[in-house]
Amino acid sequence: MTALRPFLLVSLFAFLLPLTPARAADEHAQHAPKAMKKRIELGSAAVFAPDGTLLTVSKQDEHVVLQRSADQGATWSEPLKVNAQPEAISADGENRPKIALASDGGILVSWTQPLGKPYSGAIRLARSDDGSSFAPPLTVHRDTAEITHRFETLQTLPDNRVLVAWIDKRDLEAAKGKGNYRGAAIYSALSTDGGRSFLPERKVADHSCECCRIASALDTDGALLLLWRHVYAPNERDHALARLKADGSADSVQRATYDHWRIDACPHHGPSLVVDAQGVRHAVWFNVKDGEGRVFYGRLPSGNESRVDGQRSIGGPRAAHADLALNDDQLAIVWSEFDGEKTRLDALVSRDNGRNFEPLSLASTEGAADQPRLIQHRQKLYAFWRTEKEGFRLIPLP
Amino acid sequence: MIRPLLMLCAALLAAPVSASDLTALDRSTARQLMADASQGQPTIVALWSVECTHCKKNLQLFSTLARQHKNLRLISIAAEPEGSEHARILDRHAMPAARYAYGSDAPEAVAYAIDPNWSGELPRSYLFDGKGGKQKHSGVLSRQQVEQETGLAPRR
């Protein structure tokens, strides 16, 4: 044991610092390993335009920027600022900027703008009609309180409608001093003009978990489904699934998973959802079940059933942040998994509606990695993965 | 000569914990920290983050316990790179000076070095009784549980 033990070091510094003149302290600051070093926030999103151009959004300082690739990610355009005026932007894994195309072709970009107070934020959205510049961003909710409106999901719908849903703490704030309000709430706001303006927001459900991404998908009849981590009494962090009416309010809310993870904690690990042509809802999510934290795949109950069909764990014990997508009869799941040396990007592909899966190894990185996403273009699925060392990566699935 | 030194010591003891800097962890220092934490005395390693609401409850409990039990060693690790708010939050909860945060190493690798079986949920706590006993927990803990598992109070 020759190396100085880290906490011994800290105690030493804590003792020495007040004795040291300012200059020496400055020198120390230059040489000591400082946690202050700013890490790039890797949270990003991508979508294919109809002409095959790949569009990504990510954070650069106080701007969300849009970049284009005409060659499937080999080369990228100069970044285009989405918000011309700088503002604070969240871009970690669960709370990253999003991009979607409205049915009139407009490019929509959403993000969470952290405000001054802890946990506070505003849901922002900017629209570009022609892709060359963006209109000034708007806040999609009417509530101006400096509280949590964060972790938005952005979903474009037929007829130029757009729905944004997010985690909102106005009900928690209102309940303060009046008893215990579990978790936060899900709110949504609907646009009927391609994201140029939004109708007043509506509450979808009380008692969501506080800091996991929300998944969205379209049901077979075009209704929007939302899937999120919920807090069932007293503190079971299972998932809830809502079907929305055309106006964005909840048509039904039902329990979607039954892992019974009872905990007061922040998993930072949200689900993903797709619906197949028969209306079966396929999902991936993270939970601790029987004492073991795992990523799961399963087919969610519809109607009054209270069981998940075909639930199985995905990858190994460190599998994380899975996404899934459907292309005709091909159901694909991607996730990242640290193997002790590097982070791997792995996939499972099923041709029989999730009964059997074939494993695939797609990529790996030795540095930090964003959550992977599956995106689609011309009947083909691609994994989109941003890694600190390699940048934006687009990996076609076979 | 002795008198000023004594005064200095007294001033140091009275000074609030304001080690504003968190020490950056990479995978090897994280592994070493966890190995060392298991040795010698009752120890808590508390993983937390600025955004984690539930973490603050544990920080408050742990710091209260550390004041009451002088042989309890309390080490905090922010599971993210240090930002402007970390030291302020730790100060508010009177957390002692053994303060760490993730450094520039890949966060996946630092997390793995701390505990290969941890999925990133916060708060995450490691309780060592100093005699080889180690318990790990996710979520908010009770005082009774922490005192028992660190050996500060007899097990029932």
Side-chain angles (χ1 to χ4, degrees):
Chain A
M1 185 68 227
T2 48
L4 273 173
R5 298 180 173 187
F7 39 77
L8 256 182
L9 265 172
V10 166
S11 333
L12 267 177
F13 288 154
F15 191 75
L16 286 176
L17 272 176
L19 297 172
T20 347
R23 203 162 140 255
D26 287 349
E27 279 171 15
H28 159 76
Q30 285 168 14
H31 298 296
K34 278 293 150 55
M36 209 63 180
K37 187 182 169 189
K38 208 63 187 159
R39 173 174 283 290
I40 303 169
E41 288 172 274
L42 293 172
S44 53
V47 67
F48 278 105
D51 69 355
T53 304
L54 181 60
L55 308 173
T56 71
V57 282
S58 58
K59 173 183 173 175
Q60 276 188 11
D61 301 318
E62 293 186 294
H63 297 276
V64 177
V65 295
L66 173 80
Q67 286 173 273
R68 289 182 169 81
S69 174
D71 50 15
Q72 303 222 330
T75 59
W76 291 93
S77 69
E78 285 298 306
L80 170 68
K81 285 179 182 172
V82 173
N83 55 311
Q85 297 299 318
E87 63 181 58
I89 285 150
S90 291
D92 65 28
E94 293 289 293
N95 205 6
R96 74 215 147 85
K98 325 267 179 330
I99 181 166
L101 303 175
S103 54
D104 68 358
I107 301 172
L108 306 180
V109 178
S110 70
W111 66 92
T112 295
Q113 174 193 20
L115 306 173
K117 288 185 184 165
Y119 320 118
S120 69
I123 307 298
R124 309 279 281 163
L125 183 134
R127 180 188 154 96
S128 173
D129 289 340
D130 60 2
S132 65
S133 66
F134 280 83
L138 53 86
T139 296
V140 306
H141 42 87
R142 307 287 165 101
D143 182 27
T144 55
E146 202 172 312
I147 59 166
T148 294
H149 317 88
R150 303 167 67 209
F151 300 96
E152 90 286 356
T153 188
L154 168 66
Q155 178 77 48
T156 51
L157 300 159
D159 306 324
N160 221 22
R161 290 179 302 136
V162 181
L163 190 118
V164 181
W166 63 90
I167 294 174
D168 194 307
K169 286 195 180 163
R170 70 185 73 179
D171 299 282
L172 170 68
E173 298 289 336
K176 273 183 181 167
K178 297 180 201 164
N180 217 355
Y181 181 92
R182 292 193 313 280
I186 304 293
Y187 274 70
S188 74
L190 182 73
S191 169
T192 56
D193 58 6
R196 291 180 179 85
S197 68
F198 281 80
L199 298 169
E201 64 267 26
R202 293 164 176 271
K203 177 156 64 181
V204 177
D206 285 304
H207 308 310
S208 71
C209 195
E210 295 94 340
C211 50
C212 289
R213 73 186 193 209
I214 303 168
S216 64
L218 294 186
D219 214 344
T220 41
D221 63 356
L224 184 63
L225 302 176
L226 297 176
L227 178 70
W228 66 88
R229 185 185 299 280
H230 203 70
V231 188
Y232 288 96
N235 62 346
E236 284 189 4
R237 281 167 205 270
D238 261 307
H239 296 78
L241 184 125
R243 195 180 133 92
L244 303 192
K245 294 178 191 164
D247 66 4
S249 63
D251 184 16
S252 66
V253 181
Q254 68 185 105
R255 185 164 180 154
T257 64
Y258 294 86
D259 302 321
H260 307 289
W261 186 20
R262 287 193 171 194
I263 195 165
D264 291 320
C266 304
H268 298 294
H269 215 143
S272 193
L273 173 72
V274 291
V275 181
D276 69 22
Q278 285 71 47
V280 178
R281 297 155 181 182
H282 304 261
V284 282
W285 67 94
F286 171 83
N287 257 349
V288 172
K289 188 176 188 184
D290 304 325
E292 219 179 311
R294 295 303 288 260
V295 170
F296 292 105
Y297 159 81
R299 295 177 290 279
L300 304 184
S302 55
N304 295 322
E305 302 159 34
S306 56
R307 61 183 290 272
V308 174
D309 194 22
Q311 182 166 342
R312 54 172 285 172
S313 61
I314 297 297
R318 298 199 64 81
H321 305 299
D323 191 24
L324 83 173
L326 195 62
N327 173 38
D328 287 338
D329 69 337
Q330 183 189 33
L331 176 70
I333 300 171
V334 292
W335 71 95
S336 62
E337 187 164 353
F338 187 73
D339 67 3
E341 296 292 328
K342 55 192 184 302
T343 300
R344 297 198 320 263
L345 179 65
D346 288 338
L348 286 173
V349 177
S350 173
R351 298 271 180 191
D352 58 4
N353 296 312
R355 269 134 196 110
N356 298 284
F357 286 92
E358 287 288 325
L360 289 171
S361 188
L362 298 179
S364 71
T365 185
E366 293 186 349
D370 186 20
Q371 303 178 358
R373 312 282 164 197
L374 282 167
I375 55 175
Q376 190 173 14
H377 179 61
R378 288 189 189 133
Q379 304 304 307
K380 193 164 175 59
L381 292 175
Y382 299 81
F384 175 77
W385 198 34
R386 185 182 184 195
T387 56
E388 191 171 29
K389 290 195 170 167
E390 293 85 3
F392 299 125
R393 301 166 81 172
L394 186 75
I395 302 137
L397 265 62
Chain B
M1 183 63 201
I2 288 171
R3 197 184 157 87
L5 258 182
L6 276 176
M7 281 174 65
L8 184 59
C9 286
L12 279 176
L13 285 173
V17 178
S18 61
S20 60
D21 299 324
L22 281 66
T23 303
L25 285 178
D26 60 20
R27 63 190 84 182
S28 65
T29 52
R31 202 173 289 119
Q32 189 64 51
L33 184 150
M34 294 303 284
D36 291 347
S38 67
Q39 309 284 325
Q41 69 190 90
T43 301
I44 299 172
V45 177
L47 272 74
W48 70 289
S49 77
V50 169
E51 292 287 335
C52 165
T53 48
H54 300 286
C55 292
K56 316 297 164 27
K57 295 175 191 160
N58 275 4
L59 294 184
Q60 193 58 49
L61 170 66
F62 296 160
S63 110
T64 304
L65 286 171
R67 276 198 302 282
Q68 290 168 356
H69 300 278
K70 295 301 174 199
N71 61 330
L72 175 65
R73 177 169 54 189
L74 177 51
I75 300 165
S76 66
I77 303 176
E80 59 198 348
E82 185 181 357
S84 55
E85 292 183 65
H86 287 89
R88 197 171 51 75
I89 293 168
L90 291 171
D91 286 345
R92 192 195 306 146
H93 294 286
M95 290 290 286
R99 301 171 166 188
Y100 295 84
Y102 284 17
S104 53
D105 201 354
E108 296 87 343
V110 182
Y112 184 87
I114 293 168
D115 178 1
N117 295 312
W118 168 51
S119 301
E121 69 278 8
L122 291 170
R124 178 78 166 176
S125 310
Y126 300 85
L127 309 179
F128 302 90
D129 64 7
K131 300 169 192 159
K134 174 184 180 180
Q135 300 291 330
K136 34 183 148 180
H137 297 285
S138 298
V140 176
L141 297 178
S142 74
R143 174 193 200 67
Q144 185 188 25
Q145 187 174 20
V146 176
E147 286 187 323
Q148 281 179 10
E149 293 183 357
T150 50
L152 296 171
R155 281 172 193 274
R156 287 189 170 177

